[in-house]
Amino acid sequence: MVSSPHEAMHRIFQQYPDLFSRVSEVLGVDIPPPTSATALPTDLTEARPVERRVDTLLRIETEHDGPFVLAIEAQGKKDPRKTASWPYYVSYLHNRYGLPVLLLVVCQDHATAEWAARPIAIGIRQWQTLALNPLVAGPHNMPVITDVAEARKDLALATLAAITHADNPDVGAILKTLSAALRDTPEAIADPIVELTAQGLGNRPAAQQWRNLVAVDLSFYKSFMSEEIRDEGRAQGRAQGRTQGRAESLRLVLEARGITITDEIREKIDNCNDPQLLHVWLNRAATAASVEEVFAGE
C-alpha cells in the first residue's frame, strides 16, 4: 500500500510542475528553467503482462535546450529491485518519447538518499553499456527553511523541503515557518500546501505538530483537509487540557491532605497521558491515607 508521504513527495511536482527548476538549482545541476510542463501518462506497462509504473512523469519544455522527460520517484526506503526498474524506466521513456530523460528520486532519510544516488551500471567490468545516475533530493541537500520571507518566495519549494526534513530535529521550526508564510496567501494557494504537507509527514510525530499549527495559525482556511486537520488538532488540544487539569488537581488534593509527593510520584503524575487513569487516582486521593493507596496496583 502506497503511503501518504510517498504520494506527497512526487505529487507536489504534479501540483507545481515548474518546481523542478528550483529543485535542480538547489541540487547544483544547471538545467534551464521550463517554459511549460505537461503531465504524461505514468503507465509504463508493455504489451507483455508486466506492469510498470513511474510515480510522476512530466514533459518539460525549455526555451533554448528543447524538451525533456522528467520521471519522479518517491523512495521511502532502500529497494534493490529499483536497480533493475529504474534503468528500464529511463530506456523505455527515451524510446517512447524520443527525448532526453532525467530521473529524480525524492527521499526523506539520509540512508535512502545515499543509496538512491549510487550510479547504476549495466554491462561488464571492462565496459559499461548503460550507466544511470539518478538525481536525488533529500534531507542531505534540500534547504532547511526557517525564515518566513524565504518560504514566501517559493512556497512549493518550502513545502517539499519541509516534507524531506520530516525527521529533522528542528522540523517544528521548519513547519512553524511554513504555516506563518501561508497566513497572508489566498486560500486557493494555501489549501494544496496544507494538504500536501500533512500527507508528506505521514504518521511521524511532526504530523501532529503540523495539525496543531493549522488549527491555530490557519484557522481561516476552509478546505476539507484543513477542516479535518483543525478538528483533530482541537480534539487533541481538549484531551491534553483535560489530562493536564486532572494531573494538577491530583497534586493539589495530595498536598491539601498532607500526603508527601516525592519526585518519583510527581514524575509519575506528569508523565501520565491517560485521563481516565488520572481520574481514578484523583478519586482515591480524596480518601486515601497514604500515597501507596492512591497508586495501588499501578
Side-chain angles (χ1 to χ4, degrees):
M1 183 177 180
V2 176
S3 65
S4 58
H6 177 280
E7 287 293 295
M9 281 193 288
H10 70 84
R11 272 193 56 230
I12 190 171
F13 290 92
Q14 297 176 10
Q15 186 78 32
Y16 309 100
D18 59 345
L19 170 61
F20 177 69
S21 173
R22 281 96 75 194
V23 173
S24 64
E25 182 180 349
V26 169
L27 300 183
V29 180
D30 186 17
I31 296 176
T35 55
S36 68
T38 305
L40 301 174
T42 60
D43 188 350
L44 306 185
T45 307
E46 296 184 78
R48 299 194 306 271
V50 178
E51 183 175 327
R52 302 178 190 268
R53 292 181 184 272
V54 67
D55 288 333
T56 286
L57 194 61
L58 301 172
R59 176 189 170 111
I60 303 293
E61 302 284 345
T62 65
E63 185 173 359
H64 300 295
D65 291 359
F68 67 92
V69 174
L70 174 63
I72 303 166
E73 285 278 280
Q75 198 65 34
K77 61 182 180 180
K78 300 177 184 179
D79 185 353
R81 294 173 298 179
K82 296 299 184 180
T83 57
S85 58
W86 284 346
Y88 172 87
Y89 293 167
V90 171
S91 298
Y92 175 85
L93 291 169
H94 182 265
N95 182 65
R96 178 174 179 177
Y97 293 103
L99 295 173
V101 180
L102 184 61
L103 173 64
L104 172 68
V105 183
V106 186
C107 307
Q108 286 181 295
D109 68 90
H110 291 272
T112 303
E114 182 180 1
W115 164 82
R118 294 173 184 169
I120 300 173
I122 297 177
I124 59 176
R125 179 175 58 84
Q126 295 87 346
W127 191 268
Q128 293 182 2
T129 304
L130 175 66
L132 176 65
N133 293 286
L135 187 61
V136 177
H140 64 298
N141 55 15
M142 293 300 292
V144 175
I145 300 177
T146 55
D147 179 79
V148 175
E150 183 182 356
R152 283 182 179 146
K153 288 179 182 177
D154 197 330
L155 288 171
L157 180 62
T159 303
L160 180 64
I163 291 172
T164 55
H165 287 291
D167 293 321
N168 190 306
D170 296 325
V171 69
I174 296 170
L175 296 176
K176 182 65 177 176
T177 299
L178 181 57
S179 68
L182 291 175
R183 287 178 192 164
D184 300 326
T185 61
E187 186 173 338
I189 296 175
D191 280 350
I193 298 294
V194 170
E195 296 178 17
L196 282 165
T197 304
Q199 266 194 316
L201 298 175
N203 296 322
R204 292 171 170 82
Q208 187 57 52
Q209 297 183 52
W210 179 245
R211 291 178 182 277
N212 293 340
L213 286 167
V214 171
V216 176
D217 293 350
L218 307 177
S219 59
F220 44 85
Y221 291 129
K222 302 299 181 184
S223 74
F224 174 78
M225 176 67 80
S226 298
E227 286 295 317
E228 181 183 1
I229 290 172
R230 279 196 296 278
D231 288 344
E232 291 185 14
R234 294 187 190 108
Q236 179 75 12
R238 287 194 295 269
Q240 186 175 4
R242 285 195 300 269
T243 301
Q244 291 175 346
R246 288 179 182 177
E248 184 177 353
S249 297
L250 176 57
R251 289 193 297 269
L252 290 173
V253 169
L254 291 173
E255 291 172 358
R257 301 195 67 247
I259 298 176
T260 302
I261 304 177
T262 63
D263 290 341
E264 182 181 356
I265 293 300
R266 188 178 300 278
E267 184 177 355
K268 185 183 187 73
I269 295 172
D270 291 343
N271 290 339
C272 180
N273 295 318
D274 185 346
Q276 290 302 113
L277 182 56
L278 285 167
H279 183 69
V280 171
W281 292 345
L282 184 57
N283 284 339
R284 292 177 183 173
T287 58
S290 67
V291 71
E292 287 77 15
E293 290 184 25
V294 176
F295 301 100
E298 307 300 340

